[in-house]
Amino acid sequence: MNYKILIMGIIIGLIAGSVFGYFAFSSPKLQICPDEWYINKMPPEPIFGERQYFIINGKRAEISSFDIDWVKKNCNIEPKIVV
């Protein structure tokens, strides 16, 4: 068996699998204007989890799911600080 062909096949398979995995499992960020935007500065420190979040239709939505640059550019919203 020609090991050169085997190695090339493995390399091509790894590259193709990586590309497929990236596009199949990376979720696009949401481009939706939230109703409210909060920054939580309440104690105790340290806090686990995200300190910023949005409110959409009365429910909390994690900011990490959103395209924050799009929100800043397209939505008329300023963060409210909770202390």
Side-chain angles (χ1 to χ4, degrees):
M1 179 170 200
N2 191 343
Y3 288 106
K4 197 176 203 180
I5 294 173
L6 178 64
I7 291 172
M8 287 300 291
I10 291 171
I11 291 171
I12 291 171
L14 288 172
I15 292 171
S18 297
V19 170
F20 173 76
Y22 174 78
F23 288 110
F25 297 108
S26 65
S27 59
K29 299 287 184 173
L30 297 173
Q31 295 181 338
I32 300 170
C33 288
D35 301 324
E36 298 176 74
W37 178 1
Y38 289 103
I39 299 175
N40 182 358
K41 293 202 173 191
M42 292 175 58
E45 293 288 338
I47 189 170
F48 297 101
E50 186 63 54
R51 294 191 69 97
Q52 294 187 47
Y53 57 93
F54 293 136
I55 300 295
I56 297 180
N57 297 326
K59 295 184 180 178
R60 179 182 171 132
E62 298 305 319
I63 200 167
S64 60
S65 302
F66 288 80
D67 182 345
I68 193 69
D69 292 328
W70 186 92
V71 171
K72 288 177 181 177
K73 186 189 305 183
N74 296 290
C75 303
N76 187 18
I77 189 166
E78 293 292 325
K80 298 174 186 174
I81 299 185
V82 179
V83 290

